[in-house]
Amino acid sequence: MSVVVIQFTTLDGIVSDPDGSEGTPYGGWLFRFGREEITGDRFGLGRTLDEGVVLLGRSTWEAFARLWPGRDDPFSARLNAAPKLVASRTLTDVSAWTNSRLLDGDLLDAVKTEQRDVVVMGSLGVVHALADAGLVDEYRLLTFPTVLGTGRPLFPAGGPPAELECLAAERAGALVLTRYRRTRG
């Protein structure tokens, strides 16, 4: 089992409000380069979606549950069919998106005992909790050539140190897709 974090990020490491839905002054940076830059399986999840489980926090799940169920392209079909765990203290019903279920008990315990690969999309609070516990094995980042200077970073100041090995880097139009594996930390 491995934990793979999937994130859209700016050049300065900001991951908050990529679609502008949070109403931040610089939100919406995700779409400034065209939707074609982010369509399909850019992160190379493939079989991981078929055999693993997607872990989402409440806010990301709510946004995705409005967006993905109505899509039928090959990537959307895989994501919609994938089992989804939702980490939330406030949600009581996750029936709006097929194959979703609320996480029972503690987040860290659930991830530690999960037998399948875990893919975390967005869900910054979940990512930070897993990183703080040393449970993230890989980061797959789609970096946008934008510097915001403000917002919530993927790697916050004062967070746990980690050493990463670059597994791959490739240009995807104006963006760069990178894969890093944690080696220590």
Side-chain angles (χ1 to χ4, degrees), residues 132-148:
D132 288 350
L135 295 176
V136 176
D137 298 298
E138 185 178 333
Y139 292 91
R140 296 185 189 180
L141 310 175
L142 193 57
T143 303
F144 290 71
T146 299
V147 175
L148 298 179

Side-chain angles (χ1 to χ4, degrees), residues 57-59 61-62 86-97 100-104:
R58 179 194 51 81
S59 297
W61 182 87
E62 287 175 332
V86 184
S88 174
R89 291 182 206 95
T90 58
L91 282 178
T92 57
D93 180 20
V94 292
S95 63
W97 193 12
S100 296
R101 72 176 176 85
L102 286 168
L103 189 77
D104 292 326

Side-chain angles (χ1 to χ4, degrees), residues 127-128 130-139 154-156 158-166 180-185:
V127 170
H128 286 167
L130 296 175
D132 288 350
L135 295 176
V136 176
D137 298 298
E138 185 178 333
Y139 292 91
L154 178 57
F155 302 105
E163 291 185 19
L164 306 171
E165 172 189 6
C166 183
Y180 296 95
R181 177 177 51 214
R182 185 174 56 99
T183 58
R184 284 194 331 193

Side-chain angles (χ1 to χ4, degrees), residues 1 29 35 45 52 55 62 65 67 71 85-86 93 107-108 114 116 121 132 139 143 157 163 167-168:
M1 185 281 295
W29 47 268
R35 290 185 187 272
L45 295 173
L55 173 60
E62 287 175 332
L67 177 69
R71 295 182 175 184
L85 294 176
V86 184
D93 180 20
L107 169 67
L108 300 180
E114 180 59 54
R116 300 167 288 186
M121 297 178 163
D132 288 350
Y139 292 91
T143 303
E163 291 185 19
L167 300 175

Side-chain angles (χ1 to χ4, degrees), residues 111-128:
V111 170
K112 288 176 187 176
T113 59
E114 180 59 54
Q115 299 296 308
R116 300 167 288 186
D117 287 338
V118 176
V119 176
V120 184
M121 297 178 163
S123 307
L124 192 56
V126 170
V127 170
H128 286 167

